[in-house]
Amino acid sequence: MFKKKEQALASTSACFVIMTRMLDFRSILAAIPNPEAINDYLLANSGLPGPRSNLELAHAAADGLPATIYTPWLEYSPADVQENTPQVFLVVIAVMALGRAIVSGEVNQFPRLRKFASDPRWRVREAVAMALQYIGRHNWELLIEELNQWIGHDPLEMRAVTAGLCEPDLLVDDHHAHQVVEILERITQQFLVFPDRKTDPVRTLRQGLGYCWSVAIVAAPAYGKPLFERLADSTDPDIRWIVRENLMKNRLIKMDKEWVTNLQI
């Protein structure tokens, strides 16, 4: 438990700098006189096109803009607003804002958020994960109840579940960590039944499972290790790939180098 608290404190220190920038952006947005000017400011400061969007600005906007401003952005389709453009930044903000709306009581927005989990634009899919994390920080039980319904036949929805839940600050609580390990096991087993694993959505899910297990195991080693060891015994090539990818993560090596070495496949 001490180790978890230490990790949480380190994460908190890093978050302080991010939060400071977010507060600065919130002040700037609050001072802009009209929606058109807000739209122009967001586009000009999106960081796109480029390798990294301005996530601090996105968080500030998602956390502070009224629904009357961001709701129209949810209608920007992939055909109209493509990846790595300033305009997709507006969609990202709107999707992230759905997390705040749900926490505020608009649980009817969950189906809308779920739809974006399968969006062809990867930045929009990441926005879904960030919205889920926002919900988890404020109402974990609500999040788990909803996400249990996302585990089925859509690989991108399940990828959103893994990315949304496998965030270290959400897993400081042992019960939360145990729940996530169980969900990862369910999703990994579901992965095995896909008839065609060469599609992009299934590969995207595999990639997510290739790092999320390590996050959950570090949070709940006594519970996660035995389940992961069963995966290591699998002869399935994709499961073995998932195991190898997780074993290469520094977080696991720092947690228990001997265990990682003995489990190498």
Side-chain angles (χ1 to χ4, degrees):
M1 178 58 73
F2 176 77
K3 194 170 198 178
K4 283 191 181 182
K5 288 181 178 178
E6 192 177 51
Q7 291 168 343
L9 285 172
S11 178
T12 301
S13 298
C15 285
F16 178 78
V17 176
I18 296 173
M19 287 298 298
T20 301
R21 287 200 69 197
M22 285 174 56
L23 290 172
D24 290 342
F25 282 129
R26 286 196 68 173
S27 298
I28 292 170
L29 291 171
I32 298 176
N34 57 67
E36 292 78 13
I38 289 174
N39 189 95
D40 292 343
Y41 179 83
L42 293 172
L43 293 174
N45 293 275
S46 67
L48 300 176
R52 182 186 183 276
S53 63
N54 189 340
L55 286 178
E56 294 82 8
L57 176 57
H59 279 286
D63 207 36
L65 293 180
T68 52
I69 291 180
Y70 71 74
T71 298
W73 302 339
L74 294 168
E75 304 302 324
Y76 292 176
S77 72
D80 296 328
V81 173
Q82 298 180 1
E83 190 65 84
N84 207 30
T85 62
Q87 288 74 22
V88 82
F89 187 66
L90 302 181
V91 185
V92 166
I93 291 168
V95 171
M96 291 170 62
L98 290 176
R100 186 192 78 200
I102 290 167
V103 167
S104 298
E106 297 180 43
V107 294
N108 61 322
Q109 295 288 357
F110 262 127
R112 201 173 203 177
L113 182 62
R114 183 174 181 175
K115 179 191 73 172
F116 283 107
S118 300
D119 195 276
R121 298 162 295 190
W122 73 267
R123 292 186 193 277
V124 175
R125 297 199 301 269
E126 289 303 309
V128 174
M130 288 185 280
L132 295 177
Q133 290 161 9
Y134 183 94
I135 298 167
R137 293 183 182 104
H138 293 83
N139 193 331
W140 179 261
E141 291 74 20
L142 175 67
L143 178 66
I144 293 299
E145 181 181 357
E146 171 66 22
L147 292 189
N148 274 318
Q149 303 173 48
W150 292 27
I151 303 172
H153 301 291
D154 189 317
L156 290 179
E157 289 182 1
M158 289 189 284
R159 190 271 170 186
V161 173
T162 64
L165 292 177
C166 292
E167 185 69 13
D169 72 287
L170 293 178
L171 305 182
V172 176
D173 183 283
D174 287 339
H175 179 59
H176 295 180
H178 288 183
Q179 286 179 300
V180 171
V181 169
E182 291 172 357
I183 287 173
L184 285 179
E185 184 184 32
R186 286 175 58 196
I187 290 176
T188 305
Q189 293 305 316
Q190 186 67 33
F191 178 88
L192 287 169
V193 306
F194 287 122
D196 184 1
R197 299 189 202 166
K198 294 182 180 180
T199 65
D200 287 341
V202 175
R203 287 182 178 275
T204 299
L205 173 59
R206 188 184 77 156
Q207 186 176 14
L209 291 170
Y211 78 87
C212 283
W213 268 102
S214 64
V215 177
I217 292 169
V218 169
Y223 194 66
K225 281 182 176 180
L227 295 180
F228 194 70
E229 288 166 4
R230 293 182 205 169
L231 295 181
D233 290 333
S234 174
T235 59
D236 184 273
D238 286 315
I239 298 301
R240 292 176 69 82
W241 183 91
I242 290 168
V243 171
R244 286 195 300 270
E245 286 295 304
N246 280 282
L247 290 176
M248 289 191 289
K249 301 299 183 283
N250 285 332
R251 64 177 69 94
L252 277 189
I253 297 170
K254 289 179 180 178
M255 178 197 72
D256 192 336
K257 184 176 181 180
E258 182 179 359
W259 179 76
V260 169
T261 300
N262 292 335
L263 206 60
Q264 293 287 348
I265 62 174

